[in-house]
Amino acid sequence: EVQLVESGGGLEQPGGSLRLSCAASGFTFSSFAMTWVRQAPGKGLEWVSGIIGSGVRTYYADSVKGRFTISRDNSRNTLYLQMNSLRGEDTAVYHCAKFRGYCSEATCYYMDVWGKGTTVTVSS
Amino acid sequence: QSVLTQPPSVSGAPGQRVTISCTGTSSNLGAGYAVHWYQQLPGIAPKLLIYDNNNRPSGVPDRFSGSKSGTSASLDITGLQAEDEADYYCQSFDISLSGWVFGGGTKLTVL
């Protein structure tokens, strides 16, 4: 069974840092691009960042560019999101998701498996 | 403000049909990128419902169908059931933003 389990969320002060992890199982992790999607309280889904299977290409939403860094360790089947310079508007549930594509280009990707999420609260 | 535009809410009685629209621009749906749909039940992680405009993953009932034309897409739900009450999101790729985008979500209420 394909499974994604996030961890690392918590309460952090504005300007602080957190590192989220997503442990993957049930599929060949290195073969698939992965992504982070967040959902602020009472709001909709917002794509945050993505990374291809090899890790050599990364993508970021403008709202987090320069503050967040996505990475992966294919030997540990784990996806990461390093979040620096945190702001109140980063408060959200952060889901990791597995990408699948109807073609080989990143433009074809959609999220076929989602984790339950980890909660990040940024407040003083 | 979301890149893809959805109505905030729709409703229908059990057994009826509802349609949820998703409107994009020439940078996403109009550029030929596919639309995908997700269902989020209250308090639960999103679930893939439709991919590549009109394809259902295994296990998704054929009451759910999708279509796309130009800068618009829609999700149709027929034979509405109480368990369909959820939030629905469309998603695509945006070439101007060089990333993936979601609609603002539509809350479906089964009357």
Side-chain angles (χ1 to χ4, degrees), chain A residues 10-77:
Chain A
L11 174 63
E12 184 56 64
Q13 293 186 342
S17 299
L18 279 174
R19 187 174 89 150
L20 306 184
S21 299
C22 171
S25 60
F27 65 101
T28 304
F29 183 68
S30 59
S31 296
F32 292 91
M34 299 290 294
T35 188
W36 290 96
V37 175
R38 68 185 180 185
Q39 187 168 31
K43 303 295 184 183
L45 301 175
E46 180 189 13
W47 172 74
V48 173
S49 183
I51 186 169
I52 66 170
S54 65
V56 298
R57 179 77 193 268
T58 58
Y59 304 80
Y60 297 94
D62 287 344
S63 58
V64 306
K65 202 170 293 182
R67 300 188 299 123
F68 290 11
T69 302
I70 191 171
S71 62
R72 62 192 298 160
D73 184 338
N74 288 342
S75 68
R76 296 176 183 269
N77 291 347

Side-chain angles (χ1 to χ4, degrees), chain A residues 79-97:
Chain A
L79 175 72
Y80 302 101
L81 185 68
Q82 177 67 43
M83 304 187 297
N84 298 332
S85 303
L86 283 164
R87 306 168 180 167
E89 53 264 38
D90 297 320
T91 294
V93 174
Y94 284 73
H95 297 275
C96 73

Side-chain angles (χ1 to χ4, degrees), chain B residues 1 55 75:
Chain B
Q1 196 153 351
N55 294 281
L75 173 69

Side-chain angles (χ1 to χ4, degrees), chain A residues 39 44 47 102 106 110-111 114-115, chain B residues 34 38 40 45-46 51 89 93 100:
Chain A
Q39 187 168 31
W47 172 74
Y102 61 92
Y110 54 90
M111 301 100 179
W114 295 67
Chain B
Y38 303 87
Q40 186 176 33
Y51 66 94
Y89 295 89
F93 185 87
W100 295 270

